[in-house]
Amino acid sequence: MAITPFTKQQLLPQEEMLEIFRHKSELFIGVPKEISYQERRICLTPDAVNSLCSHGHKIMIEAGAGLSSSYSDKEYSDAGATITNDTKKIFSCPIILKVEPLTMDEITLLNNKAIIISAIQLKTRKKEYFEALTKKKITALAFEYIKDEDGSYPAVKSLSEIAGTASILIAAELMINNQFGNSLLLGNITGVPPTDVVIIGAGTVGEFAARTALGLGSNVKVFDNSITKLRRLQNSLNQRIFTSTIQPKTLLKALRRTDVAIGAMRGKDRCPVIVTETMVEHMKKGAVIVDVSIDTGGCFETSEVTTHEHPTFVKSNVIHYCVPNIPSRYSKTASHSISNIITPYLLQIAEDGGLESAIRCSKGLKNGVYLYHGILTNKAIGDWFNLPDNDINLIVF
């Protein structure tokens, strides 16, 4: 019999004891100034900075980053942030928080293995963007991909709510345009027929456009090819409105009479063109088109991208408004909205002991990761740019 220093009990297989408590971590976040064209938003409001600083985190903000959202540097420094003019210093922080995706120049300023939290805007990215981040072994999260407990995308939903509401308010302004508009008040006044609004698309943008138009007293007609979406819209509006699947004859009839048409469709890669040039030609003189779908190509054949400086053009006697980044027009509201969504996630990351632990604990946050230490973990991006991708669940578990 072999001699052993262990007792019979010790030689039996033992259950493995794992450490279950988590250490809180301190975050060091850099918020650079947005340099992308017409981007006026910022990721954190002074209140959010105050909340993060009171939890022991450090926030460094580039001077003037909040000015276009009506937040001064003093408000941020009073809330506990460090203000600096040194852009390099901001990009050397371990966590970078940004609204727009980073430019190639900004990527060169990053430290290796940094964490980026920003929008991704996949349709405007190039292959080099992902290759540059991979080289620096960056971990990157996209606002658009972060999921809530109910499986929805909070950042996308919130900005869609702003865009939907804004589309009606913009149309109301354009209707009184003395040169081309019909000088109509959008809504309903006693004894005067209400204005007609056609909304193409029954998603979040369509719902909030319908809600706003109904609130003003307009006649609303919503078109979408998904009966489920139309039914959900009816239920959430709590009232019966005209809904229809997209049939050219019915749509043309509605467009002929309408004062305002809102494009709120989405497509997988490009938004489908629903309204042809011929249909637009049949619309009233001075009618208004607000194509919210323009960021994915637009659902009106006559749509062309415009800017906040020159937002409209007239085609076939119809006013077209085709600005891709509508929420940026309401930069303070949009900043507040992004800040409210992102701050609880930042606090959660710190509570869980850093991003590594946080994405293990939160499925929704894990869904937001598209690069993990330089490894591409998003199949859609891999397919789009023909890059090798990995399943994050096989890397982080």
Side-chain angles (χ1 to χ4, degrees), residues 127-177:
K127 197 173 183 174
E128 300 86 74
Y129 171 81
F130 299 101
E131 288 169 343
L133 292 176
T134 299
K135 232 178 244 177
K136 290 211 161 189
K137 295 196 165 21
I138 301 294
T139 298
L141 283 87
F143 292 150
E144 298 101 310
Y145 298 154
I146 296 174
K147 274 187 179 179
D148 232 332
E149 295 86 28
D150 64 350
S152 66
Y153 297 91
V156 177
K157 211 167 187 177
S158 192
L159 294 173
S160 296
E161 289 177 8
I162 294 172
T165 304
S167 66
I168 297 294
L169 302 178
I170 290 163
E173 284 173 45
L174 296 175
M175 282 168 75
I176 54 169
N177 182 321

Side-chain angles (χ1 to χ4, degrees), residues 79-99:
T82 308
I83 309 294
T84 179
N85 281 305
D86 190 344
T87 309
K88 282 183 181 171
K89 210 171 174 184
I90 294 281
F91 281 99
S92 65
C93 293
I95 300 175
I96 304 294
L97 205 52
K98 217 171 167 294
V99 178

Side-chain angles (χ1 to χ4, degrees), residues 278-295:
T278 317
M279 286 179 174
V280 174
E281 284 166 6
H282 280 93
M283 289 174 72
K284 284 182 193 173
K285 183 180 183 294
V288 173
I289 286 174
V290 179
D291 199 343
V292 185
S293 324
I294 195 69
D295 56 352

